[in-house]
Each structure stands twice: as C-alpha cells, then as structure tokens.
Amino acid sequence: MDNKELFAKICDYLKEHHDEMIATWRDFVNTESWSREPETVNVVAEKIKAEFEKAGMECRLEDMSPNGNALVGIIGKDRPGKPIVFGGHYDTVFPKGTFGENPFRIEDGKAYGPGALDMKGGITISLYVIKALEHIGWKENPIKIIYAGDEEIGHKGSKCGQLYLDESKGGLFGFNMETGLIDNALCIGRKGSLNANITVNGRESHAGNDFTAGISAIEEMCHKILKIQKLTDLEKGTTVNTGVIKGGTVPNAVPQECSAVIDIRIEDWAEKDRIYAEIEKIVAESTVEGTSATVEFIEGLPIYETTPGVMKFFDHVVDVAADYGLPIPSGKRLGGGSDASYITMAGTPVICSFGVRGQWNHTKREYAVVDAMEERAKLIAAVILEKDKFVL
C-alpha cells in the first residue's frame, strides 16, 4: 500500500473519530490548568498522560517543582528510525474560573475556553495523529511527546528547558503544537524573551500634612519607564514593554515603593547585553532626589532560530501539502517565545504553530477554528508518511 492509500485511511479514521476528538479536546479544556496553580496543572497532566497511554505510548511525568509536572512519552522506542518529536505545553494563562463552569463551548464553528487555542487543541491533534498512525499499522519511526506544565511562565524555577534539550536530541524532525495562526502560516522562528523586575524606593509620608517630607517612588518610576520604553529598536527587532506597575498604598500617602515588570523581546542574543546595560544605567540614576532602585533580570524562553535545518523542514512541509492537495502554509517569524527554541537547540529541526488555527491568544476572546483540527492532523500525518523525502 503506497503512502497516498495510507493517507486516505488516515483521513477516514479522523472523520470517523471527529466527535471523539472534539470530546477529548473539550475534556482537556474543561480541566483548567493555570501555570501558577501547579496542583491544577498536575491534574490535567495525569489526564493527558492517560489518553496517550491508551494510544499505546509509554509515558512518565517529570517533577518540575515548584511548577507543574512535565509529560514525556514514546511509542515504538525499538523502531530503527530517528524519533519524530511533538512538543508544547498544557498550562494556560487563565486563573481557574475565568470562563465559568464547563468553559469549553463551540459557536459558529469556533471553540472557546481556556487553552482551547493555546494549546490544548494542539495536544489533541497530536494524540489523534498518533492514534491514526497506529490504526493503519505505521511503525517506521519512534514518536515522542514532550509537554510542559510551565511554559507560560517561561519555566521559571524549573528544569524543564533542560528536559527539552535532553529529550529532543537526535530527532528526525519536530512539530511544536503551539497555536496555529489564523492565516495558515507556520512559525519558523521566534524572538527570545527577557524580563527586568525593577523596584524603586522612596520615603512615605502623609500627602496632606507632611507632603514635603515624602519622596515619591511612583514619580521616580515614571521617569525610568519613559527612558526604558525608548530602548525599543524595531529595526533590530527589539521591543521593550512595561507591562505591570504596582505602587503605593492609599491615595493620601506619598508612596514609598513602586515596582515594574519590563518585557523584552530580542531577535539577536547580542542585544541582551545592550538592553541590560542601558536598564542598569537608568536604574542607577535618580531623577527624584532621595530615591534608590534595584533591578533583577530574568531570562525567559531562548530565541527559536531559523536554522538551515528548520528551513529545509519547512520546504518539506510545503512540498507535502502541495502534493497531497492540502492548504499550503506560508512561513513567518513571531515575537512570542515557545519551546521550539529548545528543540532546535538540541539539533532537531522543528516548526512551531502546528496546532489548531485561531486568534487572540491570552485573552477572553481566544478561539480556535474547529475544522482546523482535522486539517492540521492530516497535514502532520502526510508529512510523517513522506518522512523519507526529508533530507538535511
């Protein structure tokens, strides 16, 4: 049986199991898993693990304390070929209850709910690709999954980045099942992410009786923020955004403390040194006399580089899509980070945003296109069937 005939059987399987796929997706989404509530993350990790084990995978959970557990699985570990890797995460940015009880819903062909798009839809797609391949008896390469429970907080405090590096080494190619883009583009590169946590200290006083005795930390922070925002350099692909500000206690007190969290995105890791040096200079200099400030830098997800291997894999995907009569994707670089960076660093060419297509990540408007579930599963299955045509 040739690959086109096998593909037809996969399409039949996906069609026959459409309702089951949606029900699984619904269950994953309704099992809420905010990154900062690791106990909820671990519940969904167990549930997803059980589903992949039903599909024939050998799975284990890795402790990523203080964050949620990570899931690693493999099927066909004794097969001779290089592993095919699926990556991603099952934590979300939404505190439990944000969408009410049983938050998953479908309206006008769009699915809503915490993580329906980012990225429990992608995990569901990978599960049904593996099920479909098992159904047709495909056993040419091992298939691995690496799913994190703390990607949305950049694996801060955990060893998940190292887990990705270790587990994705030696792969043939990888699919990172992050949010699929609404225009059918695939992600072939991402910026790296950094945070700068700044704290300004002043002196508290009564704003009415002792105004002149006070030294406003908020006023000083405002001066610093205006300077920091100017560090953005769009020509270099560097963006600097003050995303969170906290300060003061009550309106009638001069504030003693103010803090800000700065989000930094870079295309070139060398930019890190420039941005760090400039922020340190701004933090050290005071416009409001009597204030002082400190800064803590935190590295998030590394740059997902557009390597020659990534581009060769992307070309393979485009060729397969054209040959199989599937929608042909374009490629683009994105600003948001993902674990595709680690898979690439491990030497396995990977393409990101292979999950269900949709829009408005990290907002209550987040939705996924229901029909894209089967569409993406078909493309991934076809790429795997034609894996012998991919040569680095």
Side-chain angles (χ1 to χ4, degrees):
M1 191 175 297
D2 65 22
N3 285 342
K4 292 289 179 66
E5 292 172 318
L6 292 174
F7 180 72
K9 288 185 174 293
I10 286 174
C11 292
D12 289 342
Y13 179 90
L14 293 172
K15 184 177 180 180
E16 291 168 5
H17 291 80
H18 172 83
D19 291 347
E20 180 186 296
M21 181 190 291
I22 301 304
T24 301
W25 186 18
R26 179 189 302 273
D27 189 27
F28 290 168
V29 172
N30 282 341
T31 310
E32 297 183 70
S33 49
W34 184 31
S35 311
R36 300 190 184 280
E37 294 177 345
E39 64 279 5
T40 65
V41 173
N42 291 343
V43 170
V44 81
E46 290 281 2
K47 182 167 288 190
I48 292 171
K49 173 177 178 283
E51 290 299 324
F52 278 97
E53 287 175 337
K54 289 177 189 176
M57 300 198 89
E58 297 177 33
C59 297
R60 71 181 194 274
L61 291 170
E62 290 282 344
D63 184 1
M64 293 294 149
S65 298
N67 304 335
N69 293 334
L71 173 64
V72 178
I74 189 166
I75 191 167
K77 65 182 179 182
D78 296 326
R79 296 173 188 172
K82 291 183 177 181
I84 292 164
V85 178
F86 286 95
H89 64 94
Y90 37 72
D91 59 316
T92 78
V93 301
F94 301 104
K96 189 173 182 180
T98 299
F99 292 79
E101 294 185 14
N102 299 318
F104 184 90
R105 73 183 195 279
I106 294 176
E107 295 177 359
D108 299 324
K110 297 176 180 178
Y112 297 85
L117 176 65
D118 187 10
M119 51 149 279
K120 291 175 179 176
I123 292 173
T124 307
I125 290 170
S126 68
L127 172 65
Y128 277 83
V129 168
I130 292 167
K131 285 187 172 187
L133 289 170
E134 286 296 295
H135 174 73
I136 66 169
W138 188 90
K139 301 186 183 301
E140 296 187 23
N141 294 68
I143 298 177
K144 295 186 76 171
I145 58 168
I146 312 166
Y147 286 129
D150 61 351
E151 190 269 354
E152 295 290 9
I153 53 174
H155 309 309
K156 182 180 177 181
S158 87
K159 57 183 180 180
C160 199
Q162 187 61 51
L163 177 74
Y164 260 101
L165 290 172
D166 294 341
E167 292 294 336
S168 54
K169 285 179 181 176
L172 178 63
F173 49 66
F175 305 92
N176 207 52
M177 301 304 293
E178 278 281 2
T179 302
L181 305 176
I182 196 65
D183 62 359
N184 197 42
L186 294 172
C187 176
I188 54 174
R190 290 181 180 268
K191 295 181 181 181
S193 63
L194 312 162
N195 277 353
N197 297 338
I198 299 174
T199 301
V200 174
N201 288 290
R203 186 166 64 218
E204 189 175 26
S205 70
H206 192 287
N209 296 334
D210 298 300
F211 180 79
T212 57
I215 301 174
S216 174
I218 289 178
E219 181 182 351
E220 175 61 25
M221 183 65 83
C222 291
H223 287 288
K224 293 187 187 305
I225 287 170
L226 291 173
K227 295 174 183 177
I228 287 169
Q229 293 288 125
K230 292 179 180 179
L231 298 178
T232 291
D233 188 333
L234 296 179
E235 289 188 4
K236 292 181 178 179
T238 300
T239 60
V240 181
N241 177 65
T242 305
V244 177
I245 305 173
K246 296 179 180 178
T249 54
V250 292
N252 59 349
V254 176
Q256 178 174 303
E257 184 174 288
C258 183
S259 64
V261 181
I262 316 298
D263 177 89
I264 305 158
R265 306 285 168 144
I266 55 176
E267 291 270 12
D268 182 351
W269 209 243
E271 270 287 270
K272 180 183 77 170
D273 294 335
R274 178 183 79 87
I275 295 296
Y276 279 15
E278 291 290 342
I279 290 178
E280 286 174 341
K281 181 180 177 182
I282 291 167
V283 167
E285 296 173 349
S286 294
T287 302
V288 177
E289 187 176 351
T291 59
S292 62
T294 59
V295 61
E296 177 190 19
F297 294 107
I298 299 172
E299 294 187 9
L301 295 168
I303 295 169
Y304 162 34
E305 295 187 57
T306 309
T307 65
V310 167
M311 289 311 301
K312 285 186 178 181
F313 184 38
F314 175 72
D315 291 341
H316 173 65
V317 171
V318 169
D319 289 344
V320 170
D323 187 36
Y324 279 68
L326 299 169
I328 298 174
S330 59
K332 64 171 62 172
R333 290 183 57 83
L334 298 175
S338 86
D339 288 318
S341 57
Y342 292 110
I343 299 172
T344 304
M345 289 164 64
T348 295
V350 62
I351 292 175
C352 197
S353 295
F354 245 113
V356 62
R357 293 188 294 106
Q359 279 185 303
W360 314 124
N361 299 48
H362 296 192
T363 73
K364 286 188 177 182
R365 294 188 296 163
E366 177 178 310
Y367 75 86
V369 178
V370 175
D371 288 347
M373 294 288 282
E374 282 190 43
E375 174 191 295
R376 277 292 164 87
K378 289 176 183 178
L379 176 58
I380 293 168
V383 170
I384 292 173
L385 290 175
E386 298 293 345
K387 49 94 182 176
D388 288 341
K389 294 181 181 178
F390 173 66
V391 180
L392 273 177

